[in-house]
Amino acid sequence: MSTIALQTLSGGSDAAKRLAARLGLSCGEIAVHRFPDGELRVAVAPATDTTILYAPLDQPNDKLIALLFAAEALRRNGAKRLVLVAPYLCYMRQDAAFHAGEAISQRAMGALLATTVDRIVTVDAHLHRTTDIRSVFPGIEAENLSAMPAIANALVTEGIDPATIVIGPDMESEPWVNDIASRLRLQHTVAKKTRPGDRSVAISFADPGLLAGRPALLVDDIVSSGTTLMAAAKALIAMGATAVDAVVTHALFPPAMIGAFAEAGIRSIRSTDSVPHPTNAIALDEILAAALRSELTTTHLPETTP
């Protein structure tokens, strides 16, 4: 029988260890050394027949090189199957060339990873016109999981006011908003976003009266600059929302911005642990483990020493 284990880049080690424990796997850490000229030296733990590579791909460039080198070492040392678990998957946003000469990063990243690993598991990938993530990674298995079950379970456990309105800050957020509102049996609406200028965002709602006197929960997949989220919060407060909280899958914004969110009227902001961040409050190990259990059916766990 074949063996299976999990290895992780250092940035995601806490979440990786929780996932490994849920699956009953050992968890090794991939060592990355940076030379003075910026080049990397990568060393992996002993290879197993199936190796799950855990890597949140925020701040991705060095991590991608480290993954490429780790895959080379693992294949050379006997790994027959590599499964990349990237709770946040980078370079998915640009799926077209909007100006002459632009690279289509989604296409380039898909081609690179498809020749590196055999399967990719991610969460709430930021796809615009791409309807099926499998089309991004030709010839390999790929799954785009939803964080909404984990987020809904966390909100139910903590308790949520039944008068809460679930809010999407723009039309792109509608799938997540509709999903979580259905799970929580709450009303929801999605804002209309316009950009009066390069650095400004205007938010409006079709039914402003819906928010008066009720708490609001902003839901989005990615928060990076935070501009849209803050504009939405200010609009909600102006329309009479009694409180504004936010929950996101991927917190990519600098931690120093948490204060700016509070100034904009956001009472709390919580994120999943797809990317290590001070706002992490919702673990994804349960949904990831459910997707990965198929990898255990034809393998056995390596023996561990006491």
Side-chain angles (χ1 to χ4, degrees):
M1 294 181 68
S2 57
T3 55
I4 180 170
L6 187 149
Q7 297 195 31
T8 178
L9 293 179
S10 61
S13 58
D14 289 344
K17 289 174 183 176
R18 289 193 294 272
L19 176 59
R22 189 175 283 274
L23 290 169
L25 300 178
S26 63
C27 183
E29 188 161 317
I30 298 166
V32 179
H33 172 79
R34 180 184 296 277
F35 291 104
D37 64 355
E39 290 190 359
L40 303 180
R41 180 181 66 211
V42 173
V44 298
T48 48
D49 295 311
T50 296
T51 301
I52 299 171
L53 294 166
Y54 187 94
L57 291 176
D58 58 312
Q59 302 296 315
N61 298 340
D62 280 359
K63 293 180 181 179
L64 289 168
I65 294 296
L67 278 177
L68 184 66
F69 291 177
E72 185 280 331
L74 288 164
R75 298 276 195 200
R76 185 165 38 81
N77 285 281
K80 299 178 179 66
R81 179 171 171 83
L82 297 180
V83 178
L84 173 61
V85 177
Y88 172 68
L89 187 59
C90 59
Y91 289 121
M92 291 295 104
R93 284 179 272 192
Q94 184 149 6
D95 56 6
F98 302 104
H99 302 93
E102 276 186 345
I104 301 176
S105 61
Q106 184 186 100
R107 184 177 299 175
M109 189 54 51
L112 173 66
L113 292 178
T115 59
T116 303
V117 300
D118 302 290
R119 180 187 179 191
I120 291 175
V121 178
T122 189
V123 181
D124 288 345
H126 199 71
L127 306 175
H128 293 290
R129 287 155 289 274
T130 304
T131 57
D132 189 339
I133 196 168
R134 290 175 294 184
S135 67
V136 180
F137 302 103
I140 68 169
E141 305 162 53
E143 293 116 289
N144 183 25
L145 308 178
S146 171
M148 294 308 115
I151 291 173
N153 288 341
L155 292 172
V156 168
T157 300
E158 294 172 8
I160 188 165
D161 189 331
T164 299
I165 305 292
V166 182
I167 306 293
D170 52 35
M171 291 305 298
E172 290 176 1
S173 65
E174 198 280 334
W176 297 282
V177 172
N178 182 52
D179 187 349
I180 199 165
S182 297
R183 292 176 184 275
L184 298 174
R185 299 181 181 180
L186 298 174
Q187 286 184 273
H188 74 281
T189 189
V190 176
K192 179 181 179 181
K193 180 173 72 173
T194 56
R195 291 188 179 274
D198 290 341
R199 300 191 179 189
S200 60
V201 172
I203 297 290
S204 61
F205 291 89
D207 182 10
L210 182 67
L211 286 309
R214 302 175 71 173
L217 177 68
L218 282 163
V219 177
D220 210 352
D221 63 334
I222 294 177
V223 175
S224 183
S225 70
T227 303
T228 299
L229 202 67
M230 289 188 285
K234 291 175 182 177
L236 291 168
I237 295 296
M239 288 185 293
T242 57
V244 178
D245 297 291
V247 62
V248 300
T249 305
H250 310 298
L252 303 185
F253 58 91
M257 284 187 62
I258 295 173
F261 288 141
E263 291 176 5
I266 298 175
R267 179 173 63 180
S268 70
I269 181 164
R270 289 163 285 182
S271 64
T272 75
D273 61 358
S274 68
V275 171
H277 198 272
T279 61
N280 288 170
I282 301 161
L284 295 175
D285 54 274
E286 185 173 356
I287 65 168
L288 291 171
L292 292 166
R293 285 201 175 92
S294 60
E295 300 292 339
L296 308 180
T297 57
T298 58
T299 60
H300 75 276
L301 308 186
E303 292 184 5
T304 57
T305 56

